[in-house]
Amino acid sequence: MTKEKTKLKEFIEAISILQWVLSFLFLGVACIILMVYLMFTSLWPLSALSFAWLVVDWQTPERGGRRKTFVRKWRVWEHYRDFFPIKLVKTAELNPNKNYVLGCHPHGIMSVGAFACFSTDSCGFTEAFPGVRPTLAILAGLFRIPLFREYLMCADISPVSKPSLIHHLSKRGKGNAVVIIVGGAAESLASSPGVNTVVVKQRKGFVRVALEFGADLVPVYSFGENELFQQVVFSEGGLSRKLQDLFKKIMSFAPCLFVGERFAFLPYRTPVTTVVGSPISVPKRATPTDEEVDHYHKLYMEGLSKLFHEHKVSCGLSEGHELQII
């Protein structure tokens, strides 16, 4: 029998989620505002030193960052996991003597499942895949923000840039798993309860990188990710959607209009199950041809579709649910 949660436990979980949501939405902006504000106070040397350090340390995020194990093991992430709850499901072994590129879908509003499973130790990735070290790769621009970049690097989060991927797949030995949320901002705009849409048909860069370094491709699907927030989805071609797309083009992330279950920001307590699929063997090609990229991209999409349909019922969807790949 499942032990019923106490009111105190539910409160701690809610606070754990709230701090993460507020960090996701506002911590980067708050760090920028703080640094600018300090420039006009007697504490301006602190701000000047922070910007100087940013310049000196510019390339560190693309060279592996500064992973701190204790950050990944913070107790707060266990409460974060239990709020939904979030579960990691293993379907196949990952050989620690190889490197991997994991494509995680869908993005959802905040990629809750990807963060819990790959940027914290709360879901047991290390125990499920011994010898394999996951690194979540996210928007590179976030690593240009003083203070905020340090927080990201401590959790072993890296920029999703070519130099960063090269470092992880060629300069850190074997057993590295770079996790890329392939659909990115475009996929977040399609996030809505009851919808299973992934943006991957024209996303081939991650496949080319996998071929260049002989890293196996692994599809990952987080069931329940799109159920956590209600989003206002604007129709294609409308003015509001055009403004969203313009913002996304300029800033590389999408301004989603969403609401949670409580206090606007708290997501719905819906289970999230992140299923790691079987690896797709990829050969090493110094200069992969377009035909090779297309071939392994097709295999990846087939593997993702198979993963979705094999696990959708056990993860709470009906047999009739389909995966839309755009």
Side-chain angles (χ1 to χ4, degrees):
M1 293 179 64
T2 303
K3 185 178 179 180
E4 187 175 349
K5 296 179 181 178
T6 64
K7 292 294 183 181
L8 177 60
K9 169 64 173 171
E10 290 183 349
F11 175 75
I12 293 174
E13 290 174 1
I15 293 298
S16 300
I17 284 294
L18 184 60
Q19 65 81 26
W20 184 82
V21 170
L22 294 179
S23 297
F24 183 97
L25 295 175
F26 304 120
L27 186 56
V29 175
C31 289
I32 294 173
I33 293 173
L34 176 63
M35 291 297 103
V36 173
Y37 170 74
L38 290 178
M39 288 294 292
F40 299 94
T41 71
S42 60
L43 297 176
W44 66 266
L46 292 178
S47 183
L49 285 172
S50 294
F51 283 113
W53 173 249
L54 177 64
V55 174
V56 172
D57 198 51
W58 189 263
Q59 293 183 320
T60 296
E62 295 180 335
R63 294 175 177 172
R66 284 185 282 273
R67 172 174 172 151
K68 303 297 182 183
T69 303
F70 77 91
V71 174
R72 295 175 60 96
K73 293 181 179 295
W74 275 349
R75 186 68 182 273
V76 67
W77 305 132
E78 295 179 13
H79 298 302
Y80 169 99
R81 172 201 64 200
D82 294 342
F83 178 89
F84 299 98
I86 301 169
K87 181 173 68 173
L88 178 71
V89 174
K90 171 183 177 180
T91 65
E93 296 290 341
L94 296 183
N95 188 340
N97 294 316
K98 303 194 72 172
N99 287 330
Y100 302 90
V101 174
L102 277 64
C104 191
H105 309 267
H107 183 288
I109 298 295
M110 298 185 186
S111 302
V112 167
F115 178 80
C117 292
F118 306 118
S119 291
T120 80
D121 290 342
S122 64
C123 294
F125 184 95
T126 302
E127 291 75 23
F129 303 100
V132 179
R133 174 178 172 169
T135 300
L136 183 62
I138 64 172
L139 192 65
L142 297 175
F143 293 86
R144 307 312 180 208
I145 302 175
L147 300 182
F148 188 52
R149 67 198 295 271
E150 308 297 332
Y151 180 53
L152 295 175
M153 286 191 287
C154 284
D156 202 23
I157 298 176
S158 294
V160 64
S161 62
K162 188 66 177 288
S164 176
L165 299 180
I166 289 174
H167 179 87
H168 285 292
L169 297 175
S170 66
K171 298 180 180 180
R172 299 178 80 183
K174 299 298 182 182
N176 299 294
V178 179
V179 184
I180 301 175
I181 304 174
V182 178
E187 203 168 83
S188 68
L189 291 176
S191 173
S192 184
V195 174
N196 293 283
T197 300
V198 296
V199 178
V200 68
K201 277 188 177 180
Q202 303 303 319
R203 306 288 175 103
K204 300 180 182 181
F206 72 104
V207 178
R208 187 175 296 276
V209 168
L211 279 162
E212 289 175 355
F213 298 100
D216 287 359
L217 290 165
V218 182
V220 179
Y221 200 89
S222 286
F223 292 90
E225 186 73 49
N226 285 347
E227 313 298 319
L228 305 182
F229 294 95
Q230 299 281 346
Q231 181 181 189
V232 178
V233 179
F234 298 109
S235 59
E236 292 287 346
L239 177 60
S240 297
R241 185 54 179 263
K242 287 181 179 179
L243 290 174
Q244 279 184 318
D245 290 337
L246 177 62
F247 188 94
K248 175 168 64 70
K249 185 176 181 180
I250 296 172
M251 302 299 294
S252 299
F253 67 93
C256 300
L257 297 179
F258 65 89
V259 64
E261 184 176 21
R262 287 186 294 166
F263 310 118
F265 294 128
L266 278 182
Y268 287 82
R269 284 182 180 266
T270 301
V272 176
T273 305
T274 300
V275 185
V276 180
S278 300
I280 300 167
S281 183
V282 175
K284 186 175 182 179
R285 298 283 188 267
T287 309
T289 64
D290 289 343
E291 289 74 19
E292 288 174 321
V293 172
D294 289 342
H295 173 70
Y296 286 97
H297 183 255
K298 181 181 179 182
L299 290 180
Y300 177 84
M301 289 193 294
E302 290 173 350
L304 177 62
S305 181
K306 180 182 178 183
L307 179 72
F308 176 84
H309 289 293
E310 285 183 348
H311 294 273
K312 62 183 180 182
V313 174
S314 63
C315 293
L317 298 180
S318 68
E319 190 65 47
H321 267 86
E322 295 295 330
L323 178 66
Q324 183 181 8
I325 300 179
I326 61 175

